[in-house]
Amino acid sequence: MKLKSLQSLSVILTATLSVAFMGMMLYIYFQYRSQILTEALTNIDQKLETAIAKKEKYFSNVQTIGTNVRDIVSVLGKDDQTTIQYFRRILQTNKNLIGISIAYSPSYIKGHDLYLPYVHRRNKTDEIDLDVLNEDNYGDYRTIDWYQVPMMLDTCMWCDPYYSDINKTIDLTYSLPFKDPQGVDAGVLLLDVELDDVTKTIFGDEHSGTTFVAGRRTEFLLCTQSDKILIETMYTMAEIENDERLKVHADAMLRGEDGHGEVKWDGKESYLVYRSLKGLNWTAGVIINTDDIYSEVYVLTWMQVGMALVFIIIIFLIFTTIKMMKKNNMEISLALQKAENADQMKSIFLANMSHEIRTPLNAIIGFTDILLNHTEDVPEEERPKLVDLVMTNNDILLMIINDILDLSKIESGMYIIKHDRFAIDQACFSATKSLESQVPDGVRLEYNCSCKNLFIYGDEGRIKQVLMQFISNACKHIQAGYIRVVCERVRNTVKISVIDTGEGIAKEEQELVFERFYKGKSQAKGTGLGLAICQKLVTLWDGEIGVESELGRGSCFWFTIPI
């Protein structure tokens, strides 16, 4: 009886342990399945974020090239032959461009109603061809978005991908309107890049799963899967796969939303993740086969048989290790985040400065090339103007370099403020006098100082620099009235103010004017570093700096010097 009781107890205990073990295995299975899915989604998100960042860099590079080319083309105006030769050189030096053209305004070029010279690579080689398109062989391009939208709105735009009969490729076009030196609408500049080149740049040559770019205006799906490019509408793909879930995600993509979820793709259950691309009517995404995501789970299932107690110990050690790894990962993530933030600030600074430096440098190179190699194409009376443009851009480049050096010295702590004795009245007067030539016609430059014969200790050169920056900025934003320099003593400080009756600054912009690269809505010439340098200099000598302004009535920029 006791034996049977022990046997029954043993059976019950074994059954209980078996059920508990199976329950634990199922729990572990689904927990691990969820963890695998989370990690897979994290990897996909990281891949998409990397792809989107590469996209921003790729398109920014093309847009910069377009802006630089437009500057040159605007100067060339109706000289279409020189323009075509210039386009050939641009294609030779920019391998990511597959073609470049101008859709001139009707009858802008004498003897042509609609005229579109297209310079492009021949069959993806370095050999360059010229095709002249017109109404007879191309049609009326005035009704096409890439011409109509930029001309009507005076804005640049990226067009949806299309199949090029000339290049036999799927291309993207960046469209920029431009005016000639007389301010007449001359047409639209077009830069073509190949979609395959964009896709490889964004996602790389090797893909984990299916990567795609979905257009939202024309409702098509461009899918890159190994060496196959599939062009199809999103809804057609949903019908082919017979999956309503794909239609739901297609609707979300058309609305420009981000999302993820399980769908049927290529006849298999898969996981879809997509993100909207800022600044473009497109969505980028990745589709991964569910089996690829859960492959580790299937291996785990087979290993469960015959590994009960050992597996429990292993799972205990795994969870303990995971807990420790998560703790370590959090610490590493915080350290990486700090490093990434510092690297991001460096990248932003380099990106801004490379753009600022390239703009005058491209102008110098472009105009110098025209003067040296194409002098016969430029009328003699126009040559001094080109020389003046070269000199002007040379001065701008020198100013940018000086600003960068000043900012670098200040932020590295290498710059030391001098403490020389000087007359503040004489310093302010000489700084004001030196900028009289910059004051626009119809504007008075006034000087008012109540600090006669007041000597202070400080860095006279840097004080003049801040004052001259204020006056120079005022000259850029005024058409009539006055610019008044006021020097006065306020308690234990000297307060220097520059008051103008210019266009003023909106309240929401006043907090931003002393930040790096900020130029306001007017986008006036300069690096956007001048006021940032002024703020750092004033801070070095323990002074204060500020602005008071009212939109449409003028501004008052001021700073103080302790005495």
Side-chain angles (χ1 to χ4, degrees), residues 109-142:
I109 301 297
K110 188 176 180 181
H112 298 278
D113 183 16
L114 296 180
Y115 179 44
L116 195 158
Y118 182 44
V119 181
H120 62 94
R121 300 187 189 281
R122 183 189 302 168
N123 300 325
K124 299 184 182 181
T125 66
D126 289 335
E127 296 183 32
I128 297 174
D129 281 344
L130 168 65
D131 285 328
V132 178
L133 308 179
N134 51 46
E135 192 169 8
D136 295 331
N137 58 19
Y138 187 80
D140 190 352
Y141 54 70
R142 293 174 296 180

mmCIF file of all heavy atoms in Angstrom, residues 109-142:
data_model
loop_
_atom_site.group_PDB
_atom_site.id
_atom_site.type_symbol
_atom_site.label_atom_id
_atom_site.label_comp_id
_atom_site.label_asym_id
_atom_site.label_seq_id
_atom_site.Cartn_x
_atom_site.Cartn_y
_atom_site.Cartn_z
ATOM 1 N N ILE A 109 15.951 81.272 -76.003
ATOM 2 C CA ILE A 109 17.091 81.149 -76.919
ATOM 3 C C ILE A 109 16.600 81.486 -78.320
ATOM 4 O O ILE A 109 15.631 80.887 -78.821
ATOM 5 C CB ILE A 109 17.691 79.734 -76.879
ATOM 6 C CG1 ILE A 109 18.170 79.395 -75.449
ATOM 7 C CG2 ILE A 109 18.840 79.613 -77.873
ATOM 8 C CD1 ILE A 109 19.274 80.278 -74.942
ATOM 9 N N LYS A 110 17.238 82.412 -78.957
ATOM 10 C CA LYS A 110 16.808 82.887 -80.278
ATOM 11 C C LYS A 110 16.762 81.732 -81.274
ATOM 12 O O LYS A 110 17.677 80.937 -81.386
ATOM 13 C CB LYS A 110 17.770 83.972 -80.769
ATOM 14 C CG LYS A 110 17.304 84.664 -82.054
ATOM 15 C CD LYS A 110 18.251 85.789 -82.427
ATOM 16 C CE LYS A 110 17.782 86.490 -83.708
ATOM 17 N NZ LYS A 110 18.688 87.586 -84.109
ATOM 18 N N GLY A 111 15.632 81.659 -81.989
ATOM 19 C CA GLY A 111 15.465 80.630 -83.001
ATOM 20 C C GLY A 111 14.874 79.338 -82.463
ATOM 21 O O GLY A 111 14.695 78.372 -83.198
ATOM 22 N N HIS A 112 14.593 79.258 -81.141
ATOM 23 C CA HIS A 112 14.032 78.052 -80.539
ATOM 24 C C HIS A 112 12.786 78.424 -79.738
ATOM 25 O O HIS A 112 12.820 79.338 -78.913
ATOM 26 C CB HIS A 112 15.046 77.367 -79.602
ATOM 27 C CG HIS A 112 16.280 76.896 -80.298
ATOM 28 N ND1 HIS A 112 16.335 75.698 -80.989
ATOM 29 C CD2 HIS A 112 17.507 77.476 -80.402
ATOM 30 C CE1 HIS A 112 17.552 75.558 -81.485
ATOM 31 N NE2 HIS A 112 18.285 76.620 -81.145
ATOM 32 N N ASP A 113 11.695 77.681 -79.970
ATOM 33 C CA ASP A 113 10.504 77.880 -79.147
ATOM 34 C C ASP A 113 10.690 77.120 -77.834
ATOM 35 O O ASP A 113 10.861 77.701 -76.776
ATOM 36 C CB ASP A 113 9.251 77.399 -79.890
ATOM 37 C CG ASP A 113 7.997 77.672 -79.089
ATOM 38 O OD1 ASP A 113 8.073 78.480 -78.131
ATOM 39 O OD2 ASP A 113 6.962 77.077 -79.389
ATOM 40 N N LEU A 114 10.689 75.804 -77.902
ATOM 41 C CA LEU A 114 11.009 74.969 -76.749
ATOM 42 C C LEU A 114 12.357 74.302 -77.026
ATOM 43 O O LEU A 114 12.531 73.655 -78.059
ATOM 44 C CB LEU A 114 9.926 73.916 -76.532
ATOM 45 C CG LEU A 114 8.542 74.463 -76.185
ATOM 46 C CD1 LEU A 114 7.559 73.325 -75.997
ATOM 47 C CD2 LEU A 114 8.593 75.331 -74.943
ATOM 48 N N TYR A 115 13.297 74.429 -76.088
ATOM 49 C CA TYR A 115 14.682 74.034 -76.343
ATOM 50 C C TYR A 115 15.251 73.400 -75.078
ATOM 51 O O TYR A 115 15.295 74.035 -74.028
ATOM 52 C CB TYR A 115 15.463 75.269 -76.752
ATOM 53 C CG TYR A 115 16.938 75.045 -77.028
ATOM 54 C CD1 TYR A 115 17.393 73.967 -77.775
ATOM 55 C CD2 TYR A 115 17.883 75.939 -76.539
ATOM 56 C CE1 TYR A 115 18.725 73.782 -78.036
ATOM 57 C CE2 TYR A 115 19.227 75.764 -76.798
ATOM 58 C CZ TYR A 115 19.646 74.686 -77.546
ATOM 59 O OH TYR A 115 20.972 74.514 -77.793
ATOM 60 N N LEU A 116 15.661 72.116 -75.165
ATOM 61 C CA LEU A 116 16.177 71.393 -74.009
ATOM 62 C C LEU A 116 17.424 70.605 -74.424
ATOM 63 O O LEU A 116 17.323 69.463 -74.862
ATOM 64 C CB LEU A 116 15.100 70.443 -73.460
ATOM 65 C CG LEU A 116 15.320 69.873 -72.056
ATOM 66 C CD1 LEU A 116 13.989 69.436 -71.459
ATOM 67 C CD2 LEU A 116 16.267 68.682 -72.054
ATOM 68 N N PRO A 117 18.609 71.198 -74.342
ATOM 69 C CA PRO A 117 19.842 70.445 -74.601
ATOM 70 C C PRO A 117 20.160 69.525 -73.420
ATOM 71 O O PRO A 117 20.226 69.978 -72.280
ATOM 72 C CB PRO A 117 20.902 71.548 -74.749
ATOM 73 C CG PRO A 117 20.361 72.706 -73.988
ATOM 74 C CD PRO A 117 18.872 72.628 -74.058
ATOM 75 N N TYR A 118 20.338 68.221 -73.657
ATOM 76 C CA TYR A 118 20.544 67.230 -72.608
ATOM 77 C C TYR A 118 21.909 66.568 -72.787
ATOM 78 O O TYR A 118 22.149 65.850 -73.749
ATOM 79 C CB TYR A 118 19.428 66.190 -72.675
ATOM 80 C CG TYR A 118 19.509 65.128 -71.613
ATOM 81 C CD1 TYR A 118 19.801 65.456 -70.289
ATOM 82 C CD2 TYR A 118 19.294 63.790 -71.913
ATOM 83 C CE1 TYR A 118 19.861 64.496 -69.309
ATOM 84 C CE2 TYR A 118 19.344 62.816 -70.939
ATOM 85 C CZ TYR A 118 19.642 63.170 -69.643
ATOM 86 O OH TYR A 118 19.700 62.207 -68.673
ATOM 87 N N VAL A 119 22.820 66.831 -71.827
ATOM 88 C CA VAL A 119 24.158 66.240 -71.826
ATOM 89 C C VAL A 119 24.125 65.047 -70.871
ATOM 90 O O VAL A 119 23.764 65.197 -69.705
ATOM 91 C CB VAL A 119 25.212 67.269 -71.378
ATOM 92 C CG1 VAL A 119 26.603 66.643 -71.413
ATOM 93 C CG2 VAL A 119 25.162 68.505 -72.267
ATOM 94 N N HIS A 120 24.496 63.849 -71.345
ATOM 95 C CA HIS A 120 24.348 62.652 -70.525
ATOM 96 C C HIS A 120 25.428 61.629 -70.854
ATOM 97 O O HIS A 120 26.096 61.702 -71.887
ATOM 98 C CB HIS A 120 22.958 62.026 -70.751
ATOM 99 C CG HIS A 120 22.729 61.587 -72.164
ATOM 100 N ND1 HIS A 120 22.966 60.300 -72.594
ATOM 101 C CD2 HIS A 120 22.290 62.282 -73.257
ATOM 102 C CE1 HIS A 120 22.679 60.205 -73.876
ATOM 103 N NE2 HIS A 120 22.269 61.395 -74.315
ATOM 104 N N ARG A 121 25.585 60.668 -69.943
ATOM 105 C CA ARG A 121 26.554 59.590 -70.146
ATOM 106 C C ARG A 121 25.974 58.566 -71.129
ATOM 107 O O ARG A 121 24.780 58.282 -71.123
ATOM 108 C CB ARG A 121 26.870 58.890 -68.827
ATOM 109 C CG ARG A 121 27.453 59.832 -67.792
ATOM 110 C CD ARG A 121 27.919 59.070 -66.561
ATOM 111 N NE ARG A 121 28.272 60.005 -65.496
ATOM 112 C CZ ARG A 121 29.405 60.667 -65.443
ATOM 113 N NH1 ARG A 121 30.304 60.492 -66.395
ATOM 114 N NH2 ARG A 121 29.653 61.510 -64.455
ATOM 115 N N ARG A 122 26.837 57.993 -71.926
ATOM 116 C CA ARG A 122 26.406 57.001 -72.910
ATOM 117 C C ARG A 122 26.492 55.609 -72.294
ATOM 118 O O ARG A 122 27.564 55.124 -71.965
ATOM 119 C CB ARG A 122 27.285 57.065 -74.149
ATOM 120 C CG ARG A 122 26.846 56.084 -75.269
ATOM 121 C CD ARG A 122 27.869 56.038 -76.381
ATOM 122 N NE ARG A 122 28.083 57.356 -76.959
ATOM 123 C CZ ARG A 122 29.090 57.643 -77.794
ATOM 124 N NH1 ARG A 122 29.957 56.696 -78.104
ATOM 125 N NH2 ARG A 122 29.228 58.861 -78.276
ATOM 126 N N ASN A 123 25.295 54.994 -72.091
ATOM 127 C CA ASN A 123 25.207 53.614 -71.586
ATOM 128 C C ASN A 123 26.026 53.410 -70.305
ATOM 129 O O ASN A 123 26.794 52.452 -70.169
ATOM 130 C CB ASN A 123 25.660 52.614 -72.664
ATOM 131 C CG ASN A 123 24.820 52.692 -73.909
ATOM 132 O OD1 ASN A 123 23.614 52.936 -73.835
ATOM 133 N ND2 ASN A 123 25.453 52.511 -75.063
ATOM 134 N N LYS A 124 25.909 54.357 -69.386
ATOM 135 C CA LYS A 124 26.563 54.268 -68.067
ATOM 136 C C LYS A 124 28.092 54.294 -68.147
ATOM 137 O O LYS A 124 28.773 53.848 -67.227
ATOM 138 C CB LYS A 124 26.125 53.013 -67.321
ATOM 139 C CG LYS A 124 24.640 52.929 -67.041
ATOM 140 C CD LYS A 124 24.330 51.691 -66.209
ATOM 141 C CE LYS A 124 22.862 51.554 -65.946
ATOM 142 N NZ LYS A 124 22.538 50.375 -65.130
ATOM 143 N N THR A 125 28.644 54.786 -69.248
ATOM 144 C CA THR A 125 30.103 54.882 -69.382
ATOM 145 C C THR A 125 30.537 56.321 -69.140
ATOM 146 O O THR A 125 29.738 57.193 -68.852
ATOM 147 C CB THR A 125 30.552 54.436 -70.785
ATOM 148 O OG1 THR A 125 30.037 55.373 -71.750
ATOM 149 C CG2 THR A 125 30.017 53.045 -71.099
ATOM 150 N N ASP A 126 31.856 56.554 -69.292
ATOM 151 C CA ASP A 126 32.376 57.915 -69.145
ATOM 152 C C ASP A 126 32.256 58.719 -70.438
ATOM 153 O O ASP A 126 32.594 59.915 -70.448
ATOM 154 C CB ASP A 126 33.848 57.871 -68.704
ATOM 155 C CG ASP A 126 33.983 57.406 -67.262
ATOM 156 O OD1 ASP A 126 33.017 57.576 -66.501
ATOM 157 O OD2 ASP A 126 35.043 56.861 -66.919
ATOM 158 N N GLU A 127 31.804 58.081 -71.525
ATOM 159 C CA GLU A 127 31.604 58.811 -72.771
ATOM 160 C C GLU A 127 30.341 59.664 -72.662
ATOM 161 O O GLU A 127 29.310 59.204 -72.158
ATOM 162 C CB GLU A 127 31.478 57.837 -73.940
ATOM 163 C CG GLU A 127 32.743 57.031 -74.191
ATOM 164 C CD GLU A 127 32.594 56.137 -75.408
ATOM 165 O OE1 GLU A 127 31.876 56.540 -76.346
ATOM 166 O OE2 GLU A 127 33.188 55.037 -75.412
ATOM 167 N N ILE A 128 30.427 60.907 -73.121
ATOM 168 C CA ILE A 128 29.342 61.874 -72.917
ATOM 169 C C ILE A 128 28.725 62.244 -74.264
ATOM 170 O O ILE A 128 29.422 62.564 -75.222
ATOM 171 C CB ILE A 128 29.868 63.128 -72.189
ATOM 172 C CG1 ILE A 128 30.373 62.739 -70.795
ATOM 173 C CG2 ILE A 128 28.782 64.191 -72.083
ATOM 174 C CD1 ILE A 128 31.042 63.851 -70.047
ATOM 175 N N ASP A 129 27.378 62.192 -74.308
ATOM 176 C CA ASP A 129 26.613 62.527 -75.510
ATOM 177 C C ASP A 129 25.773 63.773 -75.274
ATOM 178 O O ASP A 129 25.494 64.156 -74.125
ATOM 179 C CB ASP A 129 25.681 61.374 -75.900
ATOM 180 C CG ASP A 129 26.423 60.264 -76.621
ATOM 181 O OD1 ASP A 129 27.566 60.514 -77.087
ATOM 182 O OD2 ASP A 129 25.857 59.170 -76.712
ATOM 183 N N LEU A 130 25.335 64.370 -76.381
ATOM 184 C CA LEU A 130 24.426 65.521 -76.325
ATOM 185 C C LEU A 130 23.191 65.196 -77.160
ATOM 186 O O LEU A 130 23.297 64.841 -78.335
ATOM 187 C CB LEU A 130 25.106 66.786 -76.868
ATOM 188 C CG LEU A 130 24.170 67.977 -77.125
ATOM 189 C CD1 LEU A 130 23.577 68.484 -75.812
ATOM 190 C CD2 LEU A 130 24.905 69.101 -77.860
ATOM 191 N N ASP A 131 22.005 65.286 -76.548
ATOM 192 C CA ASP A 131 20.736 65.173 -77.259
ATOM 193 C C ASP A 131 19.988 66.489 -77.116
ATOM 194 O O ASP A 131 19.839 66.998 -75.987
ATOM 195 C CB ASP A 131 19.879 64.038 -76.680
ATOM 196 C CG ASP A 131 20.392 62.673 -77.102
ATOM 197 O OD1 ASP A 131 20.931 62.581 -78.206
ATOM 198 O OD2 ASP A 131 20.256 61.719 -76.330
ATOM 199 N N VAL A 132 19.544 67.043 -78.230
ATOM 200 C CA VAL A 132 18.774 68.291 -78.200
ATOM 201 C C VAL A 132 17.304 67.926 -78.336
ATOM 202 O O VAL A 132 16.859 67.394 -79.358
ATOM 203 C CB VAL A 132 19.196 69.247 -79.334
ATOM 204 C CG1 VAL A 132 18.341 70.500 -79.303
ATOM 205 C CG2 VAL A 132 20.672 69.605 -79.183
ATOM 206 N N LEU A 133 16.533 68.184 -77.277
ATOM 207 C CA LEU A 133 15.116 67.839 -77.243
ATOM 208 C C LEU A 133 14.276 69.082 -77.498
ATOM 209 O O LEU A 133 14.610 70.181 -77.045
ATOM 210 C CB LEU A 133 14.751 67.222 -75.887
ATOM 211 C CG LEU A 133 15.629 66.053 -75.431
ATOM 212 C CD1 LEU A 133 15.180 65.557 -74.074
ATOM 213 C CD2 LEU A 133 15.601 64.926 -76.439
ATOM 214 N N ASN A 134 13.183 68.904 -78.233
ATOM 215 C CA ASN A 134 12.274 70.014 -78.505
ATOM 216 C C ASN A 134 10.848 69.476 -78.571
ATOM 217 O O ASN A 134 10.588 68.310 -78.253
ATOM 218 C CB ASN A 134 12.666 70.726 -79.804
ATOM 219 C CG ASN A 134 12.826 69.758 -80.974
ATOM 220 O OD1 ASN A 134 11.981 68.891 -81.180
ATOM 221 N ND2 ASN A 134 13.933 69.906 -81.713
ATOM 222 N N GLU A 135 9.941 70.335 -79.002
ATOM 223 C CA GLU A 135 8.528 69.954 -79.006
ATOM 224 C C GLU A 135 8.259 68.799 -79.969
ATOM 225 O O GLU A 135 7.377 67.976 -79.731
ATOM 226 C CB GLU A 135 7.659 71.166 -79.371
ATOM 227 C CG GLU A 135 6.176 70.951 -79.117
ATOM 228 C CD GLU A 135 5.390 72.238 -79.222
ATOM 229 O OE1 GLU A 135 5.979 73.262 -79.632
ATOM 230 O OE2 GLU A 135 4.199 72.219 -78.905
ATOM 231 N N ASP A 136 9.040 68.688 -81.032
ATOM 232 C CA ASP A 136 8.803 67.639 -82.020
ATOM 233 C C ASP A 136 9.205 66.256 -81.512
ATOM 234 O O ASP A 136 8.500 65.274 -81.734
ATOM 235 C CB ASP A 136 9.574 67.956 -83.308
ATOM 236 C CG ASP A 136 9.049 69.231 -83.979
ATOM 237 O OD1 ASP A 136 7.842 69.512 -83.809
ATOM 238 O OD2 ASP A 136 9.846 69.925 -84.643
ATOM 239 N N ASN A 137 10.354 66.162 -80.848
ATOM 240 C CA ASN A 137 10.836 64.843 -80.436
ATOM 241 C C ASN A 137 10.641 64.538 -78.955
ATOM 242 O O ASN A 137 10.978 63.454 -78.487
ATOM 243 C CB ASN A 137 12.322 64.675 -80.790
ATOM 244 C CG ASN A 137 13.184 65.741 -80.133
ATOM 245 O OD1 ASN A 137 12.780 66.374 -79.172
ATOM 246 N ND2 ASN A 137 14.381 65.939 -80.678
ATOM 247 N N TYR A 138 10.120 65.508 -78.193
ATOM 248 C CA TYR A 138 9.943 65.295 -76.753
ATOM 249 C C TYR A 138 8.548 65.671 -76.275
ATOM 250 O O TYR A 138 8.015 65.095 -75.346
ATOM 251 C CB TYR A 138 11.007 66.086 -75.983
ATOM 252 C CG TYR A 138 11.009 65.814 -74.506
ATOM 253 C CD1 TYR A 138 11.623 64.665 -74.004
ATOM 254 C CD2 TYR A 138 10.419 66.694 -73.608
ATOM 255 C CE1 TYR A 138 11.638 64.404 -72.642
ATOM 256 C CE2 TYR A 138 10.420 66.435 -72.253
ATOM 257 C CZ TYR A 138 11.032 65.288 -71.778
ATOM 258 O OH TYR A 138 11.039 65.033 -70.437
ATOM 259 N N GLY A 139 7.941 66.681 -76.902
ATOM 260 C CA GLY A 139 6.644 67.167 -76.461
ATOM 261 C C GLY A 139 6.779 68.477 -75.697
ATOM 262 O O GLY A 139 7.873 69.033 -75.539
ATOM 263 N N ASP A 140 5.661 68.990 -75.227
ATOM 264 C CA ASP A 140 5.635 70.275 -74.505
ATOM 265 C C ASP A 140 5.959 70.045 -73.034
ATOM 266 O O ASP A 140 5.124 69.608 -72.248
ATOM 267 C CB ASP A 140 4.241 70.907 -74.646
ATOM 268 C CG ASP A 140 4.221 72.352 -74.120
ATOM 269 O OD1 ASP A 140 5.240 72.774 -73.517
ATOM 270 O OD2 ASP A 140 3.205 73.035 -74.308
ATOM 271 N N TYR A 141 7.237 70.315 -72.653
ATOM 272 C CA TYR A 141 7.633 70.066 -71.271
ATOM 273 C C TYR A 141 7.079 71.079 -70.293
ATOM 274 O O TYR A 141 7.230 70.932 -69.064
ATOM 275 C CB TYR A 141 9.154 69.990 -71.150
ATOM 276 C CG TYR A 141 9.928 71.178 -71.690
ATOM 277 C CD1 TYR A 141 9.910 72.418 -71.063
ATOM 278 C CD2 TYR A 141 10.706 71.030 -72.837
ATOM 279 C CE1 TYR A 141 10.627 73.477 -71.564
ATOM 280 C CE2 TYR A 141 11.439 72.089 -73.338
ATOM 281 C CZ TYR A 141 11.400 73.314 -72.707
ATOM 282 O OH TYR A 141 12.123 74.363 -73.193
ATOM 283 N N ARG A 142 6.428 72.130 -70.778
ATOM 284 C CA ARG A 142 5.873 73.136 -69.863
ATOM 285 C C ARG A 142 4.748 72.578 -69.001
ATOM 286 O O ARG A 142 4.396 73.173 -67.982
ATOM 287 C CB ARG A 142 5.356 74.340 -70.657
ATOM 288 C CG ARG A 142 6.451 75.152 -71.347
ATOM 289 C CD ARG A 142 5.869 76.238 -72.217
ATOM 290 N NE ARG A 142 5.087 75.685 -73.320
ATOM 291 C CZ ARG A 142 4.467 76.412 -74.239
ATOM 292 N NH1 ARG A 142 4.528 77.731 -74.168
ATOM 293 N NH2 ARG A 142 3.781 75.849 -75.212
#
